[in-house]
Amino acid sequence: MSDHGCIHLNNFKAAKGIQPYKVIHSFFVTSTSNEARVRKAVSCLCHTCKSYKDRLHSCLHCIFFGCYVKGHIQEHAKTKKHFLAVDLCYGNILCFQCGDYVYDRELLVVAKAQWSETAKSLSLGEFYRTWEPSLYEVELLKKNPRRRRVVENSTIGLRGLINLGSTCFMNCIVQALIHTPLLRDYFLADRHHCPQPNRCLVCEVSSLFQEFYSGNKAPLILHKLLHLIWTHARHLAGYEQQDAHEFFIATLDVLHRHCEQYSQVAPLIVKDNPHHCNCIIDQIFTGGLQSDVVCQACNGVSTTIDPFWDISLDLGPTAGSGGPSSGLSKEGGGAPTSLLDCLERFTRAEHLGSSAKIKCNNCQTYQESTKQLTMKQLPIVASFHLKRFEHSSIQDKKISTFISFPEQLDMTPFMSHRRNGNNNSAAPNGLHKNGEDAAFSDNRYSLFAVINHEGSLETGHYTAFIRQQRDQWFKCDDHLITRARLKDVLTSEGYLLFYHKQILEYGRNSKV
Amino acid sequence: MKTSPHQTLVKAGDRDGLKELLRRRLVECGWRDEVKLICKEIIKENGQDITYDALLAMVTSRARSRVPDVVKKELLQKIKNQLLAQEEKLKLT
């Protein structure tokens, strides 16, 4: 079928132009203004049977709406001899003389422009469209006729990394980042454009993705990446053993700062984030942590929301463990044994104690208070850091207790609106405001990477388990990549755990 | 005049948003590709000149049955939410 319409449509266009189609489209197919939407709601009914569905069509010649399923638009066409109609669901043109829908290039362009305008008027970003290669892309595809097909047992995307002398901390983080689904999609779609390709870390990461997916199986040497990290995050320079967690955060920070510097508007903004930064790192890794401090005298709540990239979880027994959150909790308890335990503890209201009185904004006096952390906004990739390395004035030690973690994780119980509902009394209208969209959102995550530390505090070795192609697991030990079972992953010690959100929501101001 | 739920959603622009969400979900879960393949097959069997109506008659039930339950559930939930939210707004004004 061609996209040059038909003789009947061409005759119509010659007589009346494209304006009739444009008007019908902008009011009744995709309404481009509020006024149009009201009109559409009120008047888009079959003039014969008053139905609003059943493939409603509008006559292109006069003001008439009729449904197709019960034959009312056909009837109109026959009696009035108005042989062209517009389908009001998709905007396609039906020619009764040809007996089918016809495609017209000129009108398709009109329709496309209207879609964009509608999306804009609803602040929905851009509506989805199937990919149509540009002229440049057509050229590229012609020049490179070989296609790579990813089959079930394909090992594409897997490459070992040479250890450059205690750089396993870097290797395992690189493996985790390379196998972060959304980050992979971003880089393989060539979304990073850079004015300074030589010194840019993001470009280096981008070319790394190309290397991983080139099909070459030889292990990679990350000397350039290492050098760039050393230049941008000086505290990591040198050939000493570094902490993988520290390296992870430093890497995100360097990438984020790079992206910010040369930022361009990202076409698809995945969700609000508290950083107000559009860079790919923030879109994927940033969440918002809500902290509620409740005054014990007047019950006044002071709430702050801070961005986070990862969540560090205490593993020691509840009372008197090290770190800044050493305050006593309401319920004392043993050490946590699962990730859920840790998260439950992390989001539990804790009493700040009598020695830490805080000035309450509500009653303006210094009072004892409780503090509670909850998830206000979940990131797309949730990274958990199990604090296995304990540093205190007495001794440094590694906690090797087994902490179980699930393959599928639902974060709903740790969301602000849920937690506050059960515990301290949050303002009722605040609760409602969150509840509206948050209560029905899907907060399920699935595990896609685990980083393990083997050995002691002084000498140890990092390895990573990564998921590839939905449900296959591999162990990455520097240059060695071996197949692993899910059981091996779930029974490993676990130092850094990476979870990916299962369902993504679209659009920043999306009403949906 | 009493407005129907359909009209309420059209007016607020929710229907466009929901339609877009549905479109993307169907693409994500592979439904669109599946249906495309079915259509291609039918066109191959019946020749290029098959009409839209004939194609539709052969594809509809197969295509419908392939829509995943999760997608239906999500849409239903979101439609409910939007209608409830619109109702709230009416009460306030």
Side-chain angles (χ1 to χ4, degrees):
Chain A
M1 203 177 287
S2 75
D3 57 357
H4 296 296
C6 63
I7 174 99
H8 316 104
L9 179 60
N10 286 335
N11 288 343
F12 177 83
K13 282 202 300 181
K16 302 204 174 154
I18 57 169
Q19 199 57 23
Y21 179 75
K22 214 172 176 174
V23 171
I24 291 173
H25 205 291
S26 69
F27 271 86
F28 306 120
V29 180
T30 54
S31 314
T32 50
S33 66
N34 275 331
E35 189 211 341
R37 273 184 282 278
V38 173
R39 285 271 200 104
K40 181 177 175 177
V42 176
S43 52
C44 269
L45 301 168
C46 173
H47 282 191
T48 312
C49 70
K50 303 292 171 226
S51 166
Y52 65 85
K53 45 186 190 191
D54 299 328
R55 289 174 61 196
L56 204 60
H57 284 65
S58 164
C59 177
L60 198 56
H61 303 262
C62 73
I63 299 175
F64 180 87
F65 297 132
C67 65
Y68 188 91
V69 172
K70 292 185 216 139
H72 297 138
I73 187 72
Q74 294 92 317
E75 214 175 273
H76 172 81
K78 223 178 185 176
T79 49
K80 297 271 177 173
K81 300 213 179 333
H82 290 170
F83 292 123
L84 290 166
V86 182
D87 169 84
L88 291 182
C89 212
Y90 305 102
N92 295 329
I93 293 190
L94 179 60
C95 173
F96 285 103
Q97 278 163 304
C98 295
D100 206 349
Y101 289 89
V102 292
Y103 296 95
D104 181 89
R105 184 173 293 185
E106 197 183 355
L107 296 186
L108 280 173
V109 171
V110 173
K112 271 187 189 170
Q114 305 270 17
W115 287 340
S116 297
E117 209 166 311
T118 303
K120 223 189 282 163
S121 85
L122 291 168
S123 44
L124 284 176
E126 191 70 40
F127 282 157
Y128 172 83
R129 266 181 228 153
T130 41
W131 176 67
E132 288 170 23
S134 64
L135 289 175
Y136 169 70
E137 284 159 339
V138 170
E139 273 304 298
L140 273 183
L141 286 167
K142 273 187 194 152
K143 266 188 215 155
N144 303 280
R146 237 188 94 217
R147 306 276 173 267
R148 188 166 284 131
R149 195 176 277 257
V150 178
V151 291
E152 205 162 308
N153 278 321
S154 157
T155 50
I156 193 167
L158 295 170
R159 278 189 90 166
L161 300 168
I162 298 283
N163 193 325
L164 302 170
S166 310
T167 56
C168 52
F169 68 92
M170 173 174 77
N171 290 350
C172 66
I173 294 295
V174 166
Q175 293 287 7
L177 288 175
I178 293 280
H179 294 95
T180 302
L182 264 191
L183 205 60
R184 175 200 62 205
D185 293 354
Y186 175 87
F187 281 109
L188 289 184
D190 263 342
R191 296 283 281 281
H192 173 68
H193 304 282
C194 188
Q196 262 191 315
N198 286 328
R199 290 192 295 131
C200 172
L201 187 67
V202 190
C203 288
E204 182 57 25
V205 173
S206 188
S207 62
L208 257 184
F209 273 97
Q210 295 295 335
E211 283 291 346
F212 266 83
Y213 282 87
S214 67
N216 189 338
K217 285 179 185 163
L220 278 169
I221 304 169
L222 300 180
H223 61 277
K224 196 172 171 201
L225 182 77
L226 188 65
H227 181 251
L228 278 165
I229 300 250
W230 282 359
T231 6
H232 292 291
R234 296 222 163 264
H235 60 289
L236 293 176
Y239 281 99
E240 282 147 47
Q241 171 85 349
Q242 298 285 349
D243 179 37
H245 173 249
E246 199 180 333
F247 180 79
F248 171 63
I249 295 299
T251 307
L252 287 191
D253 186 52
V254 174
L255 289 173
H256 157 74
R257 277 188 281 139
H258 267 257
C259 295
E260 202 176 36
Q261 228 172 328
Y262 310 110
S263 79
Q264 43 197 340
V265 182
L268 182 83
I269 292 145
V270 187
K271 58 157 61 165
D272 294 42
N273 76 58
H275 260 173
H276 297 296
C277 171
N278 276 348
C279 82
I280 187 63
I281 297 299
D282 275 313
Q283 283 188 44
I284 295 177
F285 293 96
T286 303
L289 196 61
Q290 177 168 330
S291 152
D292 293 299
V293 176
V294 183
C295 168
Q296 293 302 285
C298 71
N299 277 329
V301 187
S302 123
T303 299
T304 49
I305 293 163
D306 294 305
F308 69 91
W309 275 336
D310 73 322
I311 293 168
S312 290
L313 298 163
D314 282 314
L315 299 185
T318 319
S321 58
S325 53
S326 60
L328 294 172
S329 187
K330 269 187 285 189
E331 304 136 63
T337 58
S338 69
L339 177 65
L340 287 173
D341 278 356
C342 293
L343 283 168
E344 203 279 328
R345 182 160 121 185
F346 183 79
T347 54
R348 193 186 288 168
E350 64 175 349
H351 204 264
L352 292 177
S354 50
S355 57
K357 287 187 178 174
I358 292 176
K359 189 176 177 185
C360 169
N361 282 333
N362 193 37
C363 61
Q364 303 295 332
T365 54
Y366 284 86
Q367 295 295 343
E368 283 184 31
S369 39
T370 61
K371 182 181 168 184
Q372 183 176 25
L373 298 171
T374 49
M375 306 291 151
K376 175 73 182 168
Q377 185 107 51
L378 290 168
I380 288 172
V381 168
S383 325
F384 300 108
H385 165 218
L386 302 179
K387 287 195 199 161
R388 293 201 175 273
F389 302 108
E390 198 175 72
H391 303 281
S392 71
S393 47
I394 310 152
Q395 64 172 137
D396 295 346
K397 63 168 183 178
K398 182 180 171 189
I399 304 171
S400 292
T401 39
F402 177 69
I403 303 287
S404 68
F405 47 90
E407 187 196 6
Q408 316 280 346
L409 172 70
D410 190 350
M411 289 293 284
T412 311
F414 314 110
M415 297 293 288
S416 301
H417 68 98
R418 272 293 277 277
R419 272 305 228 177
N420 291 345
N422 313 339
N423 286 327
N424 50 44
S425 51
N429 58 353
L431 194 76
H432 179 76
K433 217 168 61 198
N434 295 338
E436 205 172 89
D437 45 70
F440 297 104
S441 58
D442 191 308
N443 303 313
R444 283 172 305 163
Y445 284 76
S446 51
L447 189 68
F448 73 93
V450 175
I451 287 170
N452 280 299
H453 179 267
E454 293 158 15
S456 67
L457 196 68
E458 294 78 29
T459 57
H461 182 55
Y462 284 110
T463 58
F465 283 112
I466 52 106
R467 189 187 68 182
Q468 182 75 341
Q469 290 205 40
R470 200 179 270 269
D471 57 358
Q472 300 185 37
W473 285 90
F474 294 91
K475 184 177 185 180
C476 308
D477 182 351
D478 287 332
H479 59 283
L480 288 174
I481 306 240
T482 47
R483 206 171 266 280
R485 292 167 305 169
L486 178 64
K487 201 178 130 215
D488 304 330
V489 180
L490 295 182
T491 51
S492 69
E493 196 176 76
Y495 176 49
L496 300 176
L497 311 173
F498 296 91
Y499 284 86
H500 204 285
K501 201 157 188 297
Q502 290 183 355
I503 291 186
L504 302 181
E505 300 291 332
Y506 290 102
R508 179 179 286 271
N509 298 316
S510 164
K511 296 182 178 201
V512 176
Chain B
M1 195 183 99
K2 203 176 160 275
T3 43
S4 69
H6 169 77
Q7 285 175 320
T8 315
L9 291 179
V10 172
K11 252 188 217 173
D14 292 336
R15 195 172 184 279
D16 294 308
L18 289 163
K19 203 166 133 185
E20 176 61 13
L21 181 81
L22 175 61
R23 193 185 340 256
R24 293 192 188 189
R25 289 287 184 255
L26 290 177
V27 172
E28 279 171 3
C29 70
W31 181 88
R32 192 192 174 97
D33 292 333
E34 248 179 282
V35 173
K36 225 181 196 169
L37 276 180
I38 296 177
C39 291
K40 272 189 185 166
E41 258 168 48
I42 293 178
I43 293 171
K44 263 187 206 154
E45 279 167 26
N46 294 272
Q48 271 212 47
D49 295 327
I50 186 171
T51 62
Y52 176 82
D53 280 354
L55 186 62
L56 191 70
M58 283 187 259
V59 171
T60 305
S61 66
R62 285 166 80 183
R64 280 225 174 102
S65 66
R66 278 173 165 76
V67 178
D69 280 345
V70 274
V71 174
K72 290 187 202 169
K73 257 187 214 153
E74 187 189 1
L75 258 288
L76 185 66
Q77 190 98 65
K78 297 227 153 119
I79 292 169
K80 268 189 197 162
N81 285 352
Q82 294 300 340
L83 284 171
L84 286 174
Q86 295 297 341
E87 211 171 288
E88 281 294 300
K89 256 189 211 164
L90 275 180
K91 272 184 204 160
L92 291 174
T93 47

